């Protein structure tokens, strides 16, 4: 497992000098870049561990869902390393928006089909009720769970939300803290985008521990789309993790397990719920949350690509937007704050989204 981690870890921590100059901000902006993994996001930090432990237990086949395709790719690669079969239910809107994610999943030897599909009872009943649905993570999870329950020696694997996934991702924050210490810096503001909460947990938990145990003053901010405003618009209560009500109940901020968000390009942020740990931290006031519209996210993504060079995933662009806004506030107040954000993945498979932004077809969800 550690040997495989060496393919991309430690991931780089960059100081955004050119972005700072373009914004004329006195703030220092750093970002941890998780797009250097072979699948293009932080998801491999947990997929490798999950595939390894399944292999150790003698499991032969893994089923899962994927939104934007990042998790499906990461798990496909990991299953390939540990000789496991892999079956991926991919949210239909993303399957259509990102055809090359499907190719990548196939390249690593996994099967992938659009969800809702006619392969499962939960898929068929959704299709009967809503034949034109764009799908959702909640529906795809139901299909993958049902698949595991109805196939021999198959386990279901989730790429976010659950505690073990958050734990695997904390490698991001451990490295970031060490890297920042080398340049004698420490964040005043810490930012990450939130779908199910895993990359955010990864970058923030160790710093939140400092805040809770050592009284460090640090603002921790989760960023989500206004089209799927789980923390900023949801309720904190018990809910199912999936649409067909097959998962255990989780206490979390939720928009309701039947909520189907509009098909925004940040497919990885289209989840009705959130990590129970993040939900609790938010309810206790230890962190904040903001939501942004789709076009302002892409404005920020383009500015970032044109200053820092990296083409960000639309999900990660939510964190970029918030970091830029924070840096602009510093410009007004004259404060030299240190801002750290997690750049959770690259956008090399999201060129269709960038095209629709440039040709004016993008809707401002
Ligand atoms: C999956 C994904 C997300 C959202 O999932 P979290 O579990 O909230 O991290 C964000 N960014 C990228 C690049 C992703 O692939």
């Amino acid at each position: 497992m550690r040997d495989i981690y060496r393919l991309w870890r430690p991931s780089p921590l960059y100081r955004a000098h050119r972005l700072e100059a373009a914004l004329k901000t006195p703030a220092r902006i750093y970002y941890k870049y998780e797009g250097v993994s072979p699948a293009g996001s932080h998801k491999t930090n947990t997929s490798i561990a999950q595939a390894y432990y399944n292999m150790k237990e003698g499991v032969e086949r893994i089923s899962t869902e994927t939104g934007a395709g990042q998790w499906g790719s990461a798990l496909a690669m990991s299953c390939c390393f540990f000789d496991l079969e892999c079956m991926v239910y991919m949210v239909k809107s993303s399957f259509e928006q990102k055809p090359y994610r499907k190719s990548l999943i196939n390249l690593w030897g996994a099967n992938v089909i659009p969800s809702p599909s006619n392969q499962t009872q939960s898929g068929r009943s959704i299709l009967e009720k809503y034949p034109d649905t764009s799908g959702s993570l909640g529906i795809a999870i139901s299909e993958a769970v049902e698949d595991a329950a109805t196939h021999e020696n198959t386990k279901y694997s989730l790429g976010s939300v659950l505690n073990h996934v958050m734990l695997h991702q904390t490698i991001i924050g451990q490295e970031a803290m060490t890297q920042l210490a080398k340049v004698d810096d420490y964040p005043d503001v810490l930012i990450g985008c939130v779908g199910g909460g895993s990359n955010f947990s990864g970058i923030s938990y160790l710093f939140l521990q400092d805040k809770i145990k050592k009284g460090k003053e640090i603002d921790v901010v989760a960023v989500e789309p206004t089209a799927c405003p789980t923390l900023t618009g949801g309720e904190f209560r018990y809910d199912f993790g999936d649409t067909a009500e097959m998962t255990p109940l989780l206490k979390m901020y939720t928009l309701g397990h039947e909520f189907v968000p509009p098909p925004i390009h940040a497919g990885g942020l289209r989840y009705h719920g959130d990590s129970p740990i993040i939900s609790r931290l938010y309810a206790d006031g230890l962190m904040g949350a903001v939501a942004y519209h789709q076009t302002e996210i892409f404005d920020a993504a383009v500015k970032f690509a044109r200053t820092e060079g990296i083409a960000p995933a639309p999900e990660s662009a939510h964190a970029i937007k918030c970091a830029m806004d924070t840096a602009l506030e510093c410009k007004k107040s004259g404060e030299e704050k240190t801002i750290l954000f997690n750049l959770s993945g690259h956008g090399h498979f999201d060129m269709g989204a960038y095209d629709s932004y440039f040709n004016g077809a993008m809707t401002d969800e």
Side-chain angles (χ1 to χ4, degrees), residues 34-35 39-43 66-71 101 137 159-161 165-166 169 172 192-202 223 266-271 274-275 278 312-317 342-347 350:
E34 291 295 311
S41 79
H42 65 286
K43 298 283 192 340
T66 194
Q70 295 267 23
W71 169 243
R101 272 283 164 201
L137 276 166
S160 187
V161 183
V165 183
M166 307 296 132
Q169 293 294 353
I172 302 172
C193 67
V194 172
S198 72
N199 87 89
F200 182 83
S201 298
V223 192
L269 306 186
R270 289 177 77 239
Y271 184 58
D274 220 318
S275 145
I278 290 185
E315 291 83 359
S316 321
N342 194 39
L343 189 63
S344 50
H346 68 59
D350 299 276

Side-chain angles (χ1 to χ4, degrees), residues 5 8-11 32 34 42 44-46 165-179 198 201-203 205-206:
Y5 264 13
W8 72 95
R9 304 225 70 90
S11 70
K32 181 79 169 152
E34 291 295 311
H42 65 286
T44 41
N45 298 332
T46 181
V165 183
M166 307 296 132
L167 179 73
H168 296 153
Q169 293 294 353
T170 54
I171 185 73
I172 302 172
Q174 289 178 36
E175 287 177 5
M177 195 177 265
T178 308
Q179 288 164 319
S198 72
S201 298
I203 189 93
Y205 281 180
L206 202 59

Side-chain angles (χ1 to χ4, degrees), residues 235-282:
E235 274 178 63
F236 192 32
R237 62 174 168 88
Y238 280 93
D239 195 9
F240 291 98
D242 70 318
T243 309
E245 309 184 348
M246 285 193 287
T247 69
L249 288 168
L250 301 161
K251 191 170 182 195
M252 60 183 178
Y253 277 87
T254 176
L255 298 163
H257 60 278
E258 290 184 332
F259 179 76
V260 176
I264 51 167
H265 292 284
L269 306 186
R270 289 177 77 239
Y271 184 58
H272 68 272
D274 220 318
S275 145
I277 299 177
I278 290 185
S279 297
R280 178 63 193 273
L281 289 164
Y282 184 64

Side-chain angles (χ1 to χ4, degrees), residues 281-296:
L281 289 164
Y282 184 64
D284 287 353
L286 287 159
M287 53 174 274
V290 291
Y292 292 113
H293 291 279
Q294 178 155 256
T295 45
E296 52 185 348

Side-chain angles (χ1 to χ4, degrees), residues 4 13 15 21 52-53 57 78 85 93 104-105 107 171 196 207 218 229 235 254 277 297-298 332 338 360:
I4 294 170
L13 178 82
R15 170 118 181 240
Y52 170 79
Y53 288 117
E57 283 197 11
S78 308
E85 253 183 78
S93 56
L104 190 61
I105 292 169
L107 172 63
I171 185 73
F207 291 98
I218 171 168
E235 274 178 63
T254 176
I277 299 177
I297 289 309
F298 277 83
K332 270 192 211 146
T338 298

Side-chain angles (χ1 to χ4, degrees), residues 37-41 44 68-78 80 88 90 98-112 346 348-349:
S37 85
S41 79
T44 41
Q70 295 267 23
W71 169 243
S73 318
L75 191 65
M77 182 192 84
S78 308
C80 169
V88 182
M90 182 167 182
K98 291 161 220 217
Y100 292 124
R101 272 283 164 201
K102 183 189 87 184
S103 315
L104 190 61
I105 292 169
N106 288 151
L107 172 63
W108 278 314
N111 284 319
V112 53
H346 68 59
H348 297 177
F349 291 89

